[in-house]
Amino acid sequence: MSILFTHAYYLSDDPKEQKIMKPYPPLGLLYVSAYLKSKNIANDVFDTTFSSPESQLEFILEKLPKVICIYTNLMTKVEVIKLTKILKTEKFNFPKIVLGGPDVTYNIENYLKAGADFLVIGEGEETTFELYNSIMDNGNLNEVDGIAFWNTVK
C-alpha cells in the first residue's frame, strides 16, 4: 500500500479512559479510508487505541507507505509530534506526513515546523484524495484546495 491512516491515541496511556472503558473508533480516519477505497485507492488503517507505539512503528516498517495520514487533536498533539519526528528518519524511508483533525487548523505553523509535510484543513475525504494523487503523480500541490504546506517552489 502507498497510503496508511493512523492516529496517536493509546488507551494504555489514559488512566481516566481505562476506568470508563468506552473508547471510540477513529471515525474520521475510517471515513477518509473508505472514501479512498471507493476511488480504487487501496490503503491501510492502523488503529492504535488498543495497541502501542512500538506495534504501530513495526506495522509501518512492514508496510513502508509513501504517505502516512495521522489524525490529531489537542489530546494527542504531543504523541503525534513525536510520531512525526520518528517517521521522518531514514529508517522509515522518509514518507510524506499528512496531518488532519480539529487541532491542525489552529496550529498550522507549529505542525509544519514539527515535520508535517501537509495539513488537511477541514473535511478530509476529497482533499486527501486530491493530495494523495498529486503526491503520487508529482502534480502541482498549489492546485489542491484545503491543504497547508511549506511552499518550497523556487
Side-chain angles (χ1 to χ4, degrees), residues 118-154:
F118 304 98
L119 304 178
V120 173
I121 311 298
E123 296 302 318
E125 290 88 343
E126 289 182 25
T127 301
T128 303
F129 173 69
E130 290 176 22
L131 175 58
Y132 175 75
N133 284 324
S134 187
I135 291 169
M136 298 308 290
D137 298 337
N138 291 315
N140 184 351
L141 295 166
N142 291 309
E143 293 178 0
V144 179
D145 290 330
I147 64 169
F149 65 101
W150 294 122
N151 191 346
T152 58
V153 176
K154 296 177 181 176

Side-chain angles (χ1 to χ4, degrees), residues 27-104:
L27 289 177
L29 288 177
L30 297 174
Y31 286 139
V32 179
S33 170
Y35 183 80
L36 265 60
K37 285 182 181 180
S38 78
K39 300 288 190 180
N40 297 313
I41 296 175
N43 62 80
D44 287 305
V45 176
F46 189 89
D47 182 359
T48 60
T49 305
F50 298 103
S51 190
S52 67
E54 295 79 22
S55 296
Q56 180 184 35
L57 293 174
E58 285 174 22
F59 184 84
I60 293 169
L61 271 173
E62 176 187 317
K63 300 292 182 177
L64 282 179
K66 292 181 169 80
V67 178
I68 300 177
C69 299
I70 307 169
Y71 172 83
T72 187
N73 58 30
L74 184 60
M75 186 173 77
T76 62
K77 176 192 285 190
V78 172
E79 290 298 321
V80 167
I81 290 171
K82 278 192 229 175
L83 178 60
T84 298
K85 289 181 180 190
I86 292 168
L87 294 174
K88 291 310 255 181
T89 64
E90 187 176 347
K91 181 178 183 179
F92 292 92
N93 204 24
F94 304 104
K96 295 295 183 190
I97 305 295
V98 179
L99 302 183
D103 196 52
V104 298

